[in-house]
């Protein structure tokens, strides 16, 4: 009797598993990137293992809904160029944000980056700036070289601790409450500013964001759908240029990260 | 009778699941990055979901073995700087590799990048070059500006199709056999050239690799432990500079990707 039940139980589990497995594509489709297709984005340390690729086409939730399609809403057609500038070198000893202003070298870096943006002749529509002193100063130096561009300040772009980095850093160890509060705020910044163009946008656009290393590195990992906890594996020099391109179909590419070739070697700094 | 069996079957599955779940950490530990901890490196599209970070400390298999530790083998102490240079613009219409030589602009790009490397004063120990015409030409122009440096050519660094990119490209669609043969070869190049320093290396080193966009992008994803199928989300201008730093403890960081600020705007090309 027992073995009969065991047999039936085993059979039940086996059959259930087979049925579930045979529907795996549908399950994936309906339940998104969960367990079933998850093995795939692991570090590719074993080249002989099969892997399965992941890209969420609707990462920015801008794909047209069925209702919108029925209503004849047009698809986006414009490309967004998102240019992320880290602020210049600043006075690390300042106790408050107001006292953490740019060093003379930091101001020079901002000016050199402004000149580079100008010579690239990018037709910038908007400059977004973090509300922290070093970012506002950097932004105002850029605005002198690129005048008459709309400027928008945002608290969402302030520096912070996005999520605990992996691997961890030996000395940079923020309190858990910092990740707790900064994390969703920087994620909110990402969702607000990084997405494909609206269907109403007629021409390709170039927007400049003057902000911070952690914010930019987190944006890059999120936009490229790389593991976001890997943000600290990227380094950014002061006033370097990082360029994300978001196509109207939602595809994203990184044109450069931390581009700082426009500085003479003695003006290159990370800290 | 039936409902009793159903009850027992359900109970069996539930209990089994609970037991398995309670052992999940051990299972993970023993079976590596498989199903159980795989949900974690998915694109981070739902910020409310828990995630679990992944970093393989021994990605390059250079950690000392127990035997080596017992034998008193020293740990590595030097840092490796790996500078990856894409070749210059070349004649896309050439039918064979020999006919795909640099354009005049491509030669100028190579010269400008050589000057940039020189002014960065990096103390390059070795130049590795792909054996393809456009890479060899780029490398030889660099060698004129940085003379007396050991040069090593490698077929492993030749251009190719590393793994099918995700998302796929609308027009670049190599035959499956190309990925089949190029994939392990480019992975072999990665394993040969990108790893922490040997314990015998006394000083930090700088090595230059003159090679190709796909090779460089794949190296970057692999070195940073980002999903390697995401390599085509990165873009690289001709003769741009990409800089990986591998610390003696195996930590890796990317100092810049596609740095091309040393070019005047009219000399910037992707194709």
């Amino acid at each position: 009797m027992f073995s009969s039940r065991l047999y039936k139980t085993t059979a039940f589990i086996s059959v259930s598993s087979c049925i579930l497995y045979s529907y795996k594509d549908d399950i994936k489709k309906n339940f998104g990137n969960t367990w079933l297709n998850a093995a795939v984005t692991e570090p590719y340390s074993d080249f002989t293992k099969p892997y399965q690729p992941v890209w969420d086409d609707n990462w920015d939730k801008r794909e047209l809904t069925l209702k919108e399609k029925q209503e004849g809403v047009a698809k986006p057609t414009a490309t967004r160029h998102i240019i992320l500038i880290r602020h210049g070198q600043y006075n690390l000893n300042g106790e408050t944000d107001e006292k953490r202003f740019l060093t003379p070298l930091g101001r020079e870096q901002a000016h050199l980056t402004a000149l580079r943006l100008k010579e690239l002749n990018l037709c910038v529509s908007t400059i977004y700036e973090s509300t922290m002193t070093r970012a506002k100063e950097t932004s105002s130096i850029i605005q002198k070289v690129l005048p008459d561009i709309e400027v928008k300040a945002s608290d969402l772009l302030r520096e912070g601790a996005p999520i605990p980095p992996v691997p961890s850093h030996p000395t940079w160890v923020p309190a858990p409450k910092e990740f707790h509060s900064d994390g969703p705020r920087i994620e909110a910044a990402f969702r607000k500013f990084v997405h494909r163009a609206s269907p109403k946008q007629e021409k390709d656009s170039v927007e400049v964001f003057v902000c911070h290393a952690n914010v930019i590195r987190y944006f890059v990992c999120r936009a490229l759908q790389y593991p976001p906890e890997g943000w600290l594996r990227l380094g950014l020099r002061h006033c370097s240029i990082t360029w994300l391109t978001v196509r109207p179909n939602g595809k994203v590419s990184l044109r450069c990260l931390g581009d700082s070739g426009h500085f003479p070697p003695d003006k290159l700094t990370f800290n």
Side-chain angles (χ1 to χ4, degrees), chain A residues 133-175:
Chain A
T133 303
R134 56 193 187 270
K136 284 192 293 182
E137 263 190 286
T138 304
S139 171
S140 75
I141 292 169
I142 292 173
Q143 289 165 44
K144 277 179 198 154
V145 177
L146 300 176
D148 306 324
I149 294 174
E150 183 185 34
V151 178
K152 292 182 182 174
S154 172
D155 285 334
L156 291 179
L157 292 168
R158 291 171 72 90
E159 186 58 314
I163 52 171
V166 177
S168 59
H169 192 274
T171 55
W172 184 79
V173 187

Coordinates of all heavy atoms in Angstrom, one line a residue, chain A residues 133-175:
Chain A
T133 N 25.9 71.4 -4.3 CA 26.8 72.5 -4.6 C 27.8 72.2 -5.7 O 27.8 72.9 -6.7 CB 27.6 72.9 -3.3 OG1 26.6 73.2 -2.3 CG2 28.5 74.1 -3.6
R134 N 28.5 71.1 -5.6 CA 29.5 70.8 -6.6 C 28.9 70.5 -8.0 O 29.5 70.9 -9.1 CB 30.4 69.6 -6.2 CG 29.6 68.3 -5.9 CD 30.6 67.3 -5.2 NE 30.1 66.0 -5.0 CZ 29.4 65.6 -3.9 NH1 29.1 66.5 -2.9 NH2 29.1 64.3 -3.7
A135 N 27.7 70.0 -8.1 CA 27.0 69.8 -9.4 C 26.5 71.1 -9.9 O 26.6 71.4 -11.1 CB 25.9 68.8 -9.2
K136 N 25.9 71.9 -9.0 CA 25.4 73.2 -9.5 C 26.5 74.1 -10.0 O 26.3 74.8 -11.0 CB 24.6 73.9 -8.3 CG 23.3 73.4 -8.1 CD 22.4 74.2 -7.1 CE 23.1 74.3 -5.7 NZ 22.3 75.1 -4.8
E137 N 27.6 74.1 -9.3 CA 28.8 74.9 -9.8 C 29.3 74.4 -11.1 O 29.5 75.2 -12.0 CB 29.9 74.7 -8.8 CG 30.0 75.8 -7.8 CD 31.4 75.7 -7.0 OE1 31.4 74.8 -6.2 OE2 32.3 76.5 -7.3
T138 N 29.4 73.1 -11.3 CA 29.8 72.5 -12.6 C 28.9 72.9 -13.7 O 29.2 73.3 -14.8 CB 29.9 71.0 -12.4 OG1 30.8 70.6 -11.4 CG2 30.4 70.3 -13.7
S139 N 27.6 72.8 -13.3 CA 26.5 73.1 -14.3 C 26.6 74.6 -14.7 O 26.5 74.9 -15.9 CB 25.2 72.7 -13.7 OG 24.1 73.2 -14.5
S140 N 26.8 75.4 -13.8 CA 26.8 76.9 -14.1 C 28.0 77.2 -15.0 O 27.9 78.1 -15.9 CB 26.7 77.7 -12.9 OG 28.0 77.8 -12.2
I141 N 29.1 76.5 -14.8 CA 30.3 76.8 -15.7 C 30.0 76.3 -17.1 O 30.3 76.9 -18.1 CB 31.6 76.1 -15.1 CG1 32.0 76.8 -13.8 CG2 32.7 76.1 -16.1 CD1 33.0 76.0 -13.0
I142 N 29.3 75.1 -17.2 CA 28.9 74.6 -18.5 C 27.9 75.6 -19.2 O 28.0 75.8 -20.4 CB 28.3 73.2 -18.3 CG1 29.4 72.2 -17.9 CG2 27.6 72.7 -19.7 CD1 28.9 70.8 -17.6
Q143 N 27.0 76.1 -18.4 CA 26.0 77.0 -18.9 C 26.6 78.3 -19.5 O 26.0 78.9 -20.4 CB 24.9 77.4 -17.9 CG 24.0 76.3 -17.5 CD 23.3 76.6 -16.2 OE1 22.8 77.7 -16.0 NE2 23.2 75.6 -15.3
K144 N 27.7 78.7 -19.0 CA 28.4 79.9 -19.5 C 28.9 79.7 -20.9 O 28.8 80.6 -21.8 CB 29.5 80.4 -18.6 CG 29.1 81.2 -17.4 CD 30.2 81.6 -16.5 CE 29.7 82.0 -15.2 NZ 30.7 81.8 -14.1
V145 N 29.3 78.4 -21.2 CA 29.8 78.1 -22.5 C 28.7 77.7 -23.4 O 28.7 77.9 -24.7 CB 30.9 77.0 -22.4 CG1 31.4 76.5 -23.8 CG2 32.1 77.4 -21.5
L146 N 27.7 77.1 -22.9 CA 26.5 76.7 -23.6 C 25.3 77.5 -23.1 O 24.4 76.9 -22.4 CB 26.2 75.2 -23.5 CG 27.3 74.2 -23.9 CD1 26.8 72.7 -23.5 CD2 27.5 74.2 -25.4
P147 N 25.2 78.7 -23.5 CA 24.1 79.6 -23.0 C 22.7 79.3 -23.6 O 22.7 78.5 -24.6 CB 24.6 81.0 -23.3 CG 25.4 80.8 -24.5 CD 26.0 79.4 -24.5
D148 N 21.7 79.9 -23.1 CA 20.4 79.8 -23.6 C 19.8 78.4 -23.7 O 19.1 78.1 -24.7 CB 20.3 80.5 -25.0 CG 20.9 81.9 -24.9 OD1 20.6 82.6 -23.9 OD2 21.6 82.3 -25.9
I149 N 20.2 77.5 -22.8 CA 19.6 76.2 -22.8 C 18.8 76.1 -21.5 O 19.2 76.6 -20.4 CB 20.7 75.1 -22.8 CG1 21.5 75.2 -24.1 CG2 20.2 73.7 -22.6 CD1 22.7 74.3 -24.2
E150 N 17.6 75.5 -21.6 CA 16.8 75.3 -20.5 C 17.5 74.5 -19.4 O 18.1 73.5 -19.7 CB 15.5 74.5 -20.9 CG 14.5 74.4 -19.8 CD 13.3 73.5 -20.3 OE1 13.6 72.5 -21.1 OE2 12.2 73.7 -19.8
V151 N 17.4 75.0 -18.1 CA 18.1 74.3 -17.0 C 17.0 73.8 -16.0 O 16.1 74.6 -15.7 CB 19.1 75.2 -16.3 CG1 19.8 74.5 -15.2 CG2 20.2 75.6 -17.3
K152 N 17.1 72.6 -15.6 CA 16.2 72.1 -14.6 C 17.0 71.4 -13.5 O 17.8 70.5 -13.8 CB 15.2 71.0 -15.2 CG 14.2 71.6 -16.2 CD 13.3 70.5 -16.8 CE 12.3 71.1 -17.8 NZ 11.5 70.1 -18.4
A153 N 16.7 71.8 -12.3 CA 17.4 71.2 -11.1 C 16.5 70.1 -10.6 O 15.3 70.2 -10.6 CB 17.6 72.3 -10.1
S154 N 17.1 69.1 -10.0 CA 16.4 68.0 -9.5 C 17.1 67.4 -8.2 O 18.2 67.0 -8.3 CB 16.1 66.9 -10.5 OG 15.5 65.7 -9.8
D155 N 16.3 67.3 -7.1 CA 16.8 66.7 -5.9 C 17.1 65.2 -6.1 O 17.9 64.5 -5.5 CB 15.9 66.8 -4.8 CG 15.9 68.2 -4.2 OD1 16.9 68.9 -4.3 OD2 14.9 68.7 -3.6
L156 N 16.3 64.6 -7.1 CA 16.5 63.2 -7.3 C 17.9 62.8 -7.8 O 18.3 61.7 -7.6 CB 15.5 62.7 -8.4 CG 14.0 62.7 -8.0 CD1 13.2 62.2 -9.2 CD2 13.7 61.8 -6.8
L157 N 18.6 63.8 -8.4 CA 19.9 63.5 -9.0 C 21.1 63.7 -8.0 O 22.2 63.5 -8.3 CB 20.2 64.4 -10.2 CG 19.3 64.2 -11.4 CD1 19.4 65.4 -12.4 CD2 19.6 62.9 -12.1
R158 N 20.7 64.0 -6.7 CA 21.8 64.2 -5.7 C 22.6 62.9 -5.5 O 22.0 61.8 -5.7 CB 21.2 64.7 -4.4 CG 20.6 66.1 -4.5 CD 19.8 66.5 -3.3 NE 20.7 66.7 -2.1 CZ 21.2 67.8 -1.7 NH1 21.0 68.9 -2.5 NH2 21.9 67.9 -0.7
E159 N 23.8 63.0 -5.0 CA 24.6 61.8 -4.8 C 24.1 61.0 -3.6 O 23.4 61.5 -2.7 CB 26.1 62.3 -4.5 CG 27.1 61.1 -4.3 CD 27.2 60.2 -5.6 OE1 26.1 59.9 -6.1 OE2 28.3 59.9 -6.0
G160 N 24.4 59.7 -3.6 CA 23.9 58.9 -2.6 C 24.4 57.4 -2.8 O 25.3 57.2 -3.6
A161 N 23.9 56.5 -2.0 CA 24.2 55.1 -2.0 C 23.1 54.4 -2.7 O 22.1 54.1 -2.0 CB 24.5 54.7 -0.6
P162 N 23.3 54.0 -3.9 CA 22.1 53.4 -4.7 C 21.7 52.0 -4.2 O 20.6 51.9 -3.7 CB 22.7 53.3 -6.1 CG 24.0 53.9 -6.2 CD 24.5 54.1 -4.8
I163 N 22.6 51.1 -4.2 CA 22.4 49.8 -3.6 C 23.7 49.2 -3.2 O 24.7 49.6 -3.8 CB 21.7 48.8 -4.5 CG1 22.4 48.7 -5.9 CG2 20.2 49.1 -4.8 CD1 21.9 47.5 -6.7
P164 N 23.8 48.3 -2.2 CA 25.1 47.8 -1.8 C 25.8 47.2 -2.9 O 25.3 46.4 -3.6 CB 24.7 46.8 -0.7 CG 23.4 47.2 -0.2 CD 22.7 47.8 -1.4
P165 N 27.0 47.7 -3.2 CA 27.8 47.2 -4.3 C 28.3 45.8 -4.1 O 28.6 45.5 -2.9 CB 28.9 48.2 -4.4 CG 29.1 48.8 -3.1 CD 27.8 48.8 -2.4
V166 N 28.4 45.1 -5.1 CA 29.0 43.8 -5.1 C 30.1 43.7 -6.2 O 29.7 43.9 -7.3 CB 28.0 42.7 -5.3 CG1 28.6 41.3 -5.3 CG2 26.9 42.7 -4.2
P167 N 31.3 43.3 -5.9 CA 31.9 43.1 -4.5 C 31.9 44.4 -3.7 O 31.9 45.5 -4.3 CB 33.3 42.6 -4.8 CG 33.7 43.2 -6.1 CD 32.4 43.2 -6.9
S168 N 31.9 44.3 -2.4 CA 31.8 45.4 -1.6 C 33.2 46.2 -1.7 O 34.2 45.7 -2.1 CB 31.5 45.0 -0.1 OG 32.6 44.2 0.3
H169 N 33.1 47.4 -1.2 CA 34.3 48.3 -1.2 C 35.0 48.2 0.1 O 34.3 48.1 1.2 CB 33.9 49.7 -1.5 CG 35.1 50.6 -1.9 ND1 35.8 51.3 -0.9 CD2 35.6 50.9 -3.1 CE1 36.7 52.0 -1.5 NE2 36.7 51.8 -2.8
P170 N 36.4 48.2 0.2 CA 37.0 48.0 1.5 C 36.8 49.2 2.4 O 36.8 49.0 3.6 CB 38.5 47.9 1.1 CG 38.6 48.4 -0.3 CD 37.3 48.2 -0.9
T171 N 36.6 50.4 1.9 CA 36.5 51.6 2.8 C 35.2 52.3 2.7 O 34.8 52.9 3.6 CB 37.7 52.6 2.5 OG1 37.6 52.9 1.1 CG2 39.0 51.9 2.9
W172 N 34.6 52.3 1.5 CA 33.3 53.0 1.4 C 32.2 52.1 1.9 O 31.8 51.2 1.1 CB 33.1 53.3 -0.1 CG 31.9 54.2 -0.4 CD1 31.8 55.5 -0.2 CD2 30.7 53.8 -0.9 NE1 30.5 55.9 -0.5 CE2 29.8 54.9 -1.0 CE3 30.1 52.5 -1.3 CZ2 28.5 54.8 -1.4 CZ3 28.8 52.5 -1.7 CH2 28.0 53.6 -1.8
V173 N 31.8 52.3 3.1 CA 30.8 51.4 3.7 C 29.6 52.3 4.3 O 29.6 52.6 5.5 CB 31.4 50.5 4.8 CG1 30.4 49.5 5.3 CG2 32.6 49.8 4.2
P174 N 28.7 52.7 3.5 CA 27.6 53.5 4.0 C 26.7 52.7 5.0 O 26.7 51.5 4.9 CB 26.8 53.9 2.8 CG 27.6 53.6 1.6 CD 28.5 52.5 2.1
A175 N 26.1 53.5 5.9 CA 25.1 52.8 6.8 C 24.0 52.2 6.0 O 23.6 52.8 5.0 CB 24.6 53.8 7.8

